[in-house]
Amino acid sequence: MTIDRRTVMAAGAAGVAAAAVGTAPAFASGGGGRPGGRPAKELFGTLPDGTRVHRWTVAAGGTRLRVLSYGGIVQALEVPDRHGRYANVSLGFDTLEDYVASSPYFGAIIGRYGNRIAGGAFTLDGRTYRLPVNDDPNSLHGGDKGFDKRVWDVEPYAQGPDTGLTLRYISADGEMGYPGTLRIRVDYVLTPHGDFRIDYEATTDRATVVNLTNHTYFNLAGEGRGGILDHTLRIAASRYTPVDSTLIPTGELARVAHTPFDFRGGKPVGRDIREAHPQIVFGRGYDHNFVLDKGLTDTPRHAVTVTEPVSGRVMQIATTEPGVQFYSGNFLDATLTGPSGKVYRQGDGFCLETQHFPDSPNQPSFPSTVLRPGQTYRSTTVHSFAAR
């Protein structure tokens, strides 16, 4: 737990891979993106200030990905089931207007700081910085206009056999209260095996804090096809970070053994979700950071496996990060409607946000999230898909 994040070097290729099953998808019209071909671009909508937002489609290895320049949002991620039938396994919207009006971070790049910072403030090098309080009394996911609400520059990515997209954004000094001009690059990469890899990189001209992640909501049965409580989840984590009533870590690294937070052997998400455990009550389900046994690593190492029993879809996650936030979709309340025409209810999707720990700038015992001039922030997470 003492490794500084600036020592982490992103891997050029996935540490794990799972071959996609079945035939290539019969892609819907309006997006292109032939398997293994050059990404296709189309106009998706226009923001109120006149900024044009595009949708990009890329496919490889039996996986298809659709990404918006607004928020770097993963709008769709299509993979096959055990019979070779494709479904979009991510939650989202059909229109830009819905993303702007009411999105709970569906599919977005999160920053400058993923997760919560207590009281909307932190001190760095003797100076206190004030952040927007958008999750009273805390700051959440970079503030009320974080990276999820910015328009990113997007271009095709190609390196060796891999294909994908490169997204860039420059966060100005003082944006959402954070110090330093931060230059960010995020690569969304599909490998020939159909793995979905996310590489993050950032530099700064002043000392700052950085914690980038992706906020895709998954349902391996398919978008709009019911809840996720029967998904089997395995997390290689012997400890987690308990929270107070505002979901800020207490600083303790508590053991998961003999608690609802023990996913080490794998179990259905819903098995213990209604236990009268104080932490379950605080989160209204699971909304907690798990301390991965592997720790902070220089290449992605396996940390999570999720299996959906009906479709047979399996998702494995490998990451360089020391933690993962498991969120069981507790605040989905039937007020949002997805592309399927179905409303999203509590537990209809889950997030697994690879990360450094919440509130690390205020928790000296947690792995550091400080980035200084001359250093490069790097992080990699790989989602591998298969069907059984």
Side-chain angles (χ1 to χ4, degrees):
M1 302 301 294
T2 60
I3 302 174
D4 191 282
R5 74 178 310 150
R6 65 179 176 267
T7 67
V8 175
M9 299 298 291
V16 296
V21 177
T23 58
F27 293 160
S29 61
R34 293 174 297 170
R38 185 176 176 83
K41 175 184 177 183
E42 61 183 328
L43 182 65
F44 185 69
T46 304
L47 294 173
D49 66 0
T51 302
R52 291 158 65 90
V53 172
H54 293 92
R55 177 169 67 182
W56 291 77
T57 303
V58 59
T63 298
R64 184 172 76 160
L65 178 67
R66 279 184 162 173
V67 174
L68 307 182
S69 57
Y70 177 78
I73 288 169
V74 174
Q75 192 209 14
L77 181 62
E78 298 178 12
V79 295
D81 66 8
R82 63 164 62 96
H83 302 293
R85 296 175 300 206
Y86 279 75
N88 173 22
V89 296
S90 67
L91 275 56
F93 297 120
D94 264 339
T95 70
L96 177 62
E97 289 75 16
D98 284 337
Y99 281 108
V100 172
S102 56
S103 178
Y105 305 100
F106 282 151
I109 296 171
I110 302 298
R112 183 173 302 196
Y113 196 95
N115 221 302
R116 294 172 175 85
I117 294 182
F122 67 93
T123 299
L124 177 61
D125 295 339
R127 178 174 174 180
T128 297
Y129 295 91
R130 303 290 177 183
L131 313 173
V133 172
N134 60 328
D135 186 49
D136 192 31
N138 307 311
S139 187
L140 175 65
H141 292 335
D144 51 359
K145 194 175 181 183
F147 294 174
D148 60 296
K149 296 178 180 65
R150 306 291 179 171
V151 176
W152 293 65
D153 293 327
V154 185
E155 62 186 22
Y157 169 102
Q159 184 172 325
D162 298 338
T163 187
L165 303 168
T166 292
L167 298 89
R168 289 186 173 88
Y169 177 68
I170 299 175
S171 177
D173 182 24
E175 183 178 281
M176 294 289 100
Y178 288 90
T181 299
L182 193 73
R183 297 177 179 271
I184 311 106
R185 170 176 172 162
V186 178
D187 293 330
Y188 285 163
V189 180
L190 294 183
T191 74
H193 297 289
D195 295 344
F196 173 35
R197 189 179 80 236
I198 308 177
D199 296 328
Y200 305 88
E201 183 177 292
T203 58
T204 185
D205 60 1
R206 289 180 59 195
T208 190
V209 295
V210 187
N211 190 29
L212 305 181
T213 191
N214 178 273
H215 209 292
T216 295
Y217 287 65
F218 293 98
N219 185 325
L220 297 186
E223 184 275 327
R225 297 185 185 178
I228 50 85
L229 298 187
D230 62 347
H231 285 50
T232 296
L233 173 64
R234 180 184 179 276
I235 305 176
S238 301
R239 296 179 183 268
Y240 75 107
T241 52
V243 296
D244 64 18
S245 61
T246 72
L247 302 183
I248 291 294
T250 64
E252 179 186 5
L253 304 185
R255 293 189 180 278
V256 301
H258 310 298
T259 77
F261 296 87
D262 193 349
F263 287 92
R264 291 174 296 174
K267 66 178 179 180
V269 169
R271 176 177 294 174
D272 300 320
I273 203 169
R274 289 182 173 83
E275 290 292 315
H277 189 286
Q279 290 295 309
I280 294 290
V281 174
F282 285 158
R284 301 186 188 180
Y286 296 103
D287 193 3
H288 294 77
N289 172 66
F290 286 74
V291 180
L292 298 176
D293 291 339
K294 71 174 190 63
L296 183 63
T297 51
D298 58 355
T299 58
R301 292 177 58 184
H302 177 261
V304 179
T305 301
V306 190
T307 304
E308 199 284 310
V310 177
S311 68
R313 291 188 183 93
V314 180
M315 179 174 71
Q316 297 189 66
I317 296 177
T319 186
T320 57
E321 291 295 285
V324 61
Q325 184 86 5
F326 171 46
Y327 171 57
S328 52
N330 315 324
F331 295 96
L332 298 175
D333 60 1
T335 60
L336 306 176
T337 302
S340 61
K342 303 291 182 62
V343 297
Y344 293 142
R345 297 183 180 274
Q346 187 179 54
D348 277 356
F350 65 89
C351 301
L352 289 161
E353 303 153 64
T354 55
Q355 61 181 11
H356 271 50
F357 305 166
D359 199 37
S360 289
N362 296 311
Q363 306 266 2
S365 64
F366 287 179
S368 176
T369 55
V370 175
L371 182 70
R372 298 185 181 278
Q375 299 173 348
T376 299
Y377 168 101
R378 291 188 176 94
S379 174
T380 294
T381 295
V382 184
H383 302 80
S384 300
F385 299 95
R388 296 172 181 168

